[in-house]
Amino acid sequence: MSPSEFFHMGGYAVYVWSSYGLALVLLGWVLISPVFTKKSIIKELKMKYRQQERQRQEDSR
Amino acid sequence: MSAPEQISSTMGAFIALIKRDLMLSYRHRNELLNPLLFFVIVVTLFPLGVSPEKQLLQTMAPGVIWVAALLAAMLSLDTLFKSDYEDGTLEQMMLSPHSNAVLVLAKIISHWLVTGVPIILMAPLLGLFMFLPWDGIAALMLTLLLGTPVLSLVGAIGMALTLGLNRGGMLLSLLVLPLYIPVLIFSASAVDASMAGLDINGQLYFLGALLVLSITLAPLAAATSLKISVE
Amino acid sequence: MSAPEQISSTMGAFIALIKRDLMLSYRHRNELLNPLLFFVIVVTLFPLGVSPEKQLLQTMAPGVIWVAALLAAMLSLDTLFKSDYEDGTLEQMMLSPHSNAVLVLAKIISHWLVTGVPIILMAPLLGLFMFLPWDGIAALMLTLLLGTPVLSLVGAIGMALTLGLNRGGMLLSLLVLPLYIPVLIFSASAVDASMAGLDINGQLYFLGALLVLSITLAPLAAATSLKISVE
Amino acid sequence: MTDAAAGLHLKSISCTRGYRDLFTGLDFRLCPGQALRVEGKNGSGKTSLLRIMAGLAQPLEGEVLWQGRKIHHSESDYFQNLLFLGHRAAIKFELTAIENLCMAKSLHGSKSENGIEEALYQVGLYGFEEIPCAQLSAGQKRRVALAQLFLTRAKCWILDEPYTSLDVNAVAMLEKLFTQHIDNGGMLVITSHQPITLQAGEQHRLVLPKTRLERLE
Amino acid sequence: MTDAAAGLHLKSISCTRGYRDLFTGLDFRLCPGQALRVEGKNGSGKTSLLRIMAGLAQPLEGEVLWQGRKIHHSESDYFQNLLFLGHRAAIKFELTAIENLCMAKSLHGSKSENGIEEALYQVGLYGFEEIPCAQLSAGQKRRVALAQLFLTRAKCWILDEPYTSLDVNAVAMLEKLFTQHIDNGGMLVITSHQPITLQAGEQHRLVLPKTRLERLE
Amino acid sequence: MKLPAIVHKFSSPKNFYTMSGKMIPWFMWSFLITLFAGLYYGLFVAPPDYQQGESYRIMYIHVPAAWMSMFIYMVMAISASVGLIWRIKTADLMASVSAPIGAAFTFLALVTGSLWGKPMWGTYWVWDARLTSELILLFLYLGFIALQAAIEDPRNAARAGAVLLIVGVVNIPIIHYSVEWWSTLHQGATVGKFDKPSMHISMLIPLLVMATSFKLYYAASVLMRARGEILRREQNTRWVKEVVENESK
Ligand code: HEM
Ligand SMILES: Nc1ncnc2c1ncn2[C@@H]1O[C@H](COP(=O)(O)OP(=O)(O)OP(=O)(O)O)[C@@H](O)[C@H]1O
Ligand SMILES: Nc1ncnc2c1ncn2[C@@H]1O[C@H](COP(=O)(O)OP(=O)(O)OP(=O)(O)O)[C@@H](O)[C@H]1O
Ligand SMILES: [Mg+2]
Ligand SMILES: [Mg+2]
């Protein structure tokens, strides 16, 4: 089977490849996005804890 | 309190609640008619928006009437728990010594009495208006009789879930419509079948099963969700 | 304050109000999508309730899509003044030194931006889904572009009138739908005509005229009614 | 009942709202014939505590016991003896004062309808019984809700800022009622930013968020 | 402005609500540097009077004048100088305190955004600026609304039970502010069932429904 | 019914966080291996179908995705009930973080199904029972996600979500049996019938490999999501503070 034959998919290329493409993009995004979310949560929490620390110091003064 | 006393007192609260809700609807007499009017208006929009042709209207009739009934029932859900929630009555209901599911059932019943029943009674007229034959009208009324209580019951769950949320109105439709769809499909297909002279027992059994299922489950589910919403 | 200063300060309030309303919608991101979802759901109910046949769906499409848009616009009116009324913001608006009609217009515009615009953008997809040809889709979008602002504007008057009334939601539909019907009829017939290859300028002129009329009149009328409702 | 388990028992209750710790490890026992005044600045957690006591909210940790049993296990018994009035008055604006109280009564499980007019008279609403509550003033609406106190046989009253919108006469009338209730072996939990003067009974004061508890008099 | 017409003038105002006469022939003139305390039992018509003064309701008879002109003819001028806070606080629960105050400011026609954080600090909401107001306690919500008093340049303040839900610190803070406002030539109309102690200015007391008017101190 | 204390201890958020951290790489690697094996067999080794030609290769996405859409829903419903009854925080958490993954698979099944429908049935969409009930499943997922987003307090969100999930379970048998209950365009069960498999073994094996791969994907992905969400929900505990502080910038 030649590569061009393979990509042609017996005339069904549009349907087959768009299915596989969508699956790749969608599932890829669903897999990767929590990495970003976790990073931003950690950043947020770091800021919050720092703020709390400052507040506590102010209170004790 | 002893057990039988407790039961009779719960029955008392059940009846008092139905009575009060009906009285409230009566105080808002003009709104008593509102779901009904909405139902009528939606149905009459179709000859205007689509086409006044007899053949087409007759084909569309079962679907359109049922969609209108469904939307009317859904929109009238707003009156089910909202005002009780806002003025704190719901808190008091949750704090009452009676079973919450029973109280919720009372509210659902009075809701059906003021929204479902008028729709059922109005349906034949709209059927005629859409050139539905008599067989079709009979099937329409039967399906409405079995289906509208399901709409109220399932709607109560959705309403209870979205209650605490600001402007939950539209979220409600997202939650509730998917569950309404089976009712719609079966009812409309029953009316269609009856017009074609076919047997509609299958659909009616299905609707009946849904009704029994939702009567047993919905008050419990709604009561649980209300507890969450109140918190 | 001098006159030009007054005007610029009113402009400031106008923009601040639009910004705030958009921000509120953004805070309720999931509800931002709600009128849209309702629109989609209503349209998808028809193939379910009536019939999935291509020919029939195509005939019904313009009417169904427009009825759905109309209902979505109408129901989303609830978010227009209600919460402002309940928490007293409306009182403060009426007490502000700016022209009330301008402030009301700001609210209407932001309402249209979050309900009308998404509907317009979604319409082509639903048109395809109901087997509408490209001509029909173009006409559909044009009519929606002219028609949905009218729905928001006219709806604002109805909402303002029914505001003080408890559970005015359904009364609202009664007041507003008759005014919506001309928009529906002309728009649906425009889409039909375009599918038949006919000229649709007449209908578009009519819709345009309605739009101009309601832009000039509705804010004033709504502001006046609001004053009454607040009292 | 005056045994060891009688009354309402808070066992090391903690509460967090929106990631903000309000109080932790709160321990307290309210016995018949006692009153508890919950005090604290705005936002210190009074309402949150009262809602936990009434079983309307779950504490983050700890538990609330009634007669020695968790309130969620003895629901029916606790709720028969509980009267909770919060910031929202549970008054339907479309109904008259009498109709509102009728409903409240049957929700709480007492059936007789007499006494309602008497109670309305007590709270100074004579002549307003048959008017829809929408047409009452802010203070009059609160009075309708408070009339429940004259009707109930509940032992445990939990009242969140009951003096809101009330004029001095109404406050005096309430204080007399509270004193009576405690003298008769009732329990009272109350918050208010106004001074409270009860003539009788054992009174405790809980200051939030420090959860400092002290006995008055 | 200290001419004869300055201030807010009530000319033989009568008010009826639901076929019940509340008061008739009320005449009063509030000049710069004066405070008016409206008192009366629950349901005596305080809120009704204040809403008439603010132009939110029409009196049955009589008229309200601002600087000698009917308020409905000088709307913009009157409303630029008016700040009314009623039973409902006009606070959006979804917005933060800062966003709420921003909106209130631009509604009242002042544009600068600075000062808002300062005002929130003054009402003791430091640390709560960026939280949606839904998550504030009853008293904290009221404080957000009251922060407007620190922002406005309005001359005439009409406040209906501003002390509702506020703790003692907040009340003291408000009273200091009121005293300042009057000293600076402002006007104040206020109701409250709690005692009000202002240190300065000319104070009047109006008792409803008798429409008895007296000068204090 | 009471759960033994060990279950609670084992399922504590802290424990879950550390355990899941160790498990993720295993799931990730086995997912990737099965994925490449499945794709290789599915695209290169398996012969074209004698009726459908090459277009049937969509099956290797469509069918596993459709299975996952139902499987994840059931996982959510069960873990939400467990959370509701025994108040186990991690069970609630699993339900709420699974939703986007389930919705993605449902969407994928719908889109690949209609992409397959065009060459096979001549249309992208028909209102038949299987397709409709799958669409309803998507709405259920979206409703659940919207509900979670709308409720601030995670405990309340979990309880409300559990009610919705349990009510929606009715839909799952409808999806599965719809092809038998109503006459539909859609394919009947072809895989489940092992006694008389109506699919050639060389086509069946890649399908099963892909299905395994998708399950592993779900495991890895849900754990990753759960770890982030745990940090947010437990942000007031000491151990989260330590974790966050130790996290390098
Ligand atoms: C939008 C269109 C479609 C949707 C929503 C859809 C949905 C589904 C669902 C939910 C399942 C899993 C059923 C179960 O396990 O109980 C499934 C399985 C399957 N689908 Fe589709 N499908 C669609 C179109 C198609 C088309 C066009 C074909 C092929 C002509 C197809 C072939 C299959 C096959 C072979 C199975 C496996 C059946 C089994 O062994 O259980 N589907 N589909
Ligand atoms: N919407 C209404 N329709 C008819 N009557 C009303 C309405 N609102 C109030 N009233 C009546 O008007 C009278 C005065 O009400 P108002 O709210 O002005 O009293 P208030 O002095 O503010 O009392 P409070 O101290 O309780 O706030 C009351 O007797 C009440 O019954
Ligand atoms: N729905 C909520 N979500 C998150 N946090 C909340 C919520 N409601 C209140 N809070 C926070 O909880 C704290 C306590 O609130 P609570 O209502 O219990 O106070 P309170 O003591 O009753 O105050 P007040 O005297 O003002 O009535 C406040 O700091 C508030 O910010
Ligand atoms: Mg409070
Ligand atoms: Mg008042």
Side-chain angles (χ1 to χ4, degrees), chain B residues 2 25 55 58 69 84 90 110 128 138 141 145-146 167 198-199 205 217:
Chain B
S2 67
S25 312
Q55 192 51 49
Q58 196 171 26
D84 278 348
L90 210 58
S110 51
L128 280 179
M141 288 197 62
L145 199 62
L146 290 170
R167 303 197 206 166
L198 300 175
D199 182 49
Y205 283 138
L217 279 185

Side-chain angles (χ1 to χ4, degrees), chain B residues 47 117 119 126 195-196:
Chain B
V117 172
I119 285 180
L126 290 177
M195 278 160 66

Side-chain angles (χ1 to χ4, degrees), chain D residues 206-217:
Chain D
L206 173 68
V207 182
L208 292 179
K210 294 183 200 117
T211 64
R212 198 182 61 215
L213 200 66
E214 58 191 51
R215 181 154 170 192
L216 300 176
E217 276 143 86

Side-chain angles (χ1 to χ4, degrees), chain D residues 141-203:
Chain D
K141 281 173 198 146
R142 294 290 307 179
R143 284 172 186 233
V144 175
L146 292 167
Q148 287 182 49
L149 295 176
F150 286 95
L151 289 171
T152 183
R153 277 173 298 166
K155 290 230 183 60
C156 180
W157 294 1
I158 300 185
L159 310 177
D160 199 1
E161 303 201 26
Y163 298 167
T164 305
S165 309
L166 291 187
D167 60 20
V168 278
N169 297 339
V171 171
M173 179 243 341
L174 276 188
E175 286 182 344
K176 222 177 87 199
L177 183 67
F178 293 157
T179 308
Q180 246 175 36
H181 176 63
I182 296 171
D183 277 346
N184 293 338
M187 286 165 257
L188 174 69
V189 180
I190 190 170
T191 71
S192 172
H193 294 297
Q194 281 171 261
I196 302 174
T197 43
L198 302 185
Q199 245 57 54
E202 200 182 314
Q203 291 176 43

Side-chain angles (χ1 to χ4, degrees), chain D residues 128 134-140 165, chain E residues 17-18 20 22 41-48 87 161 193:
Chain D
F128 290 88
Q135 296 179 17
L136 298 181
S137 78
Q140 288 168 333
S165 309
Chain E
R17 298 218 64 169
R20 204 177 286 265
L22 292 181
K41 291 191 299 183
N42 285 140
S44 53
K46 302 179 293 299
T47 299
S48 308
H87 283 299
E161 303 201 26
H193 295 297

Side-chain angles (χ1 to χ4, degrees), chain B residues 63-146:
Chain B
V64 167
I65 294 179
W66 250 100
V67 168
L70 195 154
L71 292 175
M74 195 184 76
L75 297 176
S76 69
L77 288 177
D78 221 32
T79 60
L80 190 48
F81 299 120
K82 197 93 178 188
S83 75
D84 278 348
Y85 174 73
E86 277 165 4
D87 64 16
T89 307
L90 210 58
E91 261 170 36
Q92 295 293 341
M93 266 173 66
M94 295 294 119
L95 290 181
S96 100
H98 311 304
S99 149
N100 292 334
V102 171
L103 298 180
V104 168
L105 185 62
K107 286 199 71 72
I108 297 176
I109 289 177
S110 51
H111 176 258
W112 180 71
L113 287 177
V114 294
T115 61
V117 172
I119 285 180
I120 299 176
L121 297 179
M122 192 61 175
L125 220 72
L126 290 177
L128 280 179
F129 175 82
M130 302 275 282
F131 308 106
L132 218 55
W134 286 109
D135 283 357
I137 289 181
L140 182 65
M141 288 197 62
L142 265 177
T143 52
L144 282 172
L145 199 62
L146 290 170

Side-chain angles (χ1 to χ4, degrees), chain F residues 55-70:
Chain F
S55 74
Y56 90 96
R57 293 189 202 278
I58 295 177
M59 177 175 75
Y60 298 125
I61 303 292
H62 170 71
V63 175
W67 285 343
M68 286 310 287
S69 70
M70 297 157 70

Side-chain angles (χ1 to χ4, degrees), chain C residues 140-170:
Chain C
L140 182 66
M141 289 198 61
L142 265 178
T143 54
L144 282 173
L145 200 61
L146 290 171
T148 48
V150 178
L151 299 184
S152 290
L153 286 158
V154 171
I157 307 177
M159 198 61 218
L161 280 171
T162 56
L163 200 56
L165 317 174
N166 217 314
R167 307 197 204 163
M170 287 283 191

